[in-house]
Amino acid sequence: MPAAAHTVDPADSWEYSLFIPSDPRAVTVCRRTLRLVLTLHGLIGLLDAAELLASELMSNAVLHTKGPACLRLRFRDGVLQIGAWDADPEPPEPPCRLEEVTGAESGRGMGLVRACADVWHWQPLSRMGHRGKLVWCELAVA
């Protein structure tokens, strides 16, 4: 069945986790995996925003921490949650408004997440024997 013919059932519930090494190339792997998962689940309308958000979250996890990371995609009650786990337990810097970092060379990532997601947050979370945190955001199906 072509992906475009698949309709999204808000009652659907699923979760995927992709563990990655501390390697900048892994962000591309995460982006392409997210695109495939959303396409196969008929969530094509969320692709662009979800890809941007996952890229920002995973880039932060890979560039600002040492050790493994994980992309988590969860869909429940018509809401897609995109999460990036990393092995650094320190909270992320609070995001600035995009207007405040327009000319800056860094610091725009979480501002993009704040601007494009319906909601975002972080929480301490241990995985694979590593203390760390999960930074996540949500997009609702329109």
Side-chain angles (χ1 to χ4, degrees), residues 23-34 51 55 58-59:
D23 178 346
R25 295 171 292 195
V27 175
T28 300
V29 172
C30 290
R31 214 174 24 247
R32 290 184 179 170
T33 300
L34 173 132
E51 197 170 30
S55 294
M58 294 309 298
S59 291

Side-chain angles (χ1 to χ4, degrees), residues 91-127:
E93 291 291 323
C96 295
R97 294 173 44 115
L98 285 180
E99 301 83 30
E100 297 170 8
V101 291
T102 302
E105 290 187 27
S106 65
R108 291 185 301 265
M110 287 305 292
L112 283 170
V113 171
R114 176 183 175 187
C116 296
D118 296 327
V119 65
W120 82 275
H121 208 325
W122 78 277
Q123 64 195 61
L125 182 67
S126 295
R127 287 224 160 151

Side-chain angles (χ1 to χ4, degrees), residues 38-60:
L38 294 185
T39 299
L40 292 175
H41 282 283
L43 295 169
I44 296 170
L46 296 180
L47 275 175
D48 291 337
E51 197 170 30
L52 172 68
L53 294 169
S55 294
E56 293 301 334
L57 294 177
M58 294 309 298
S59 291
N60 285 345

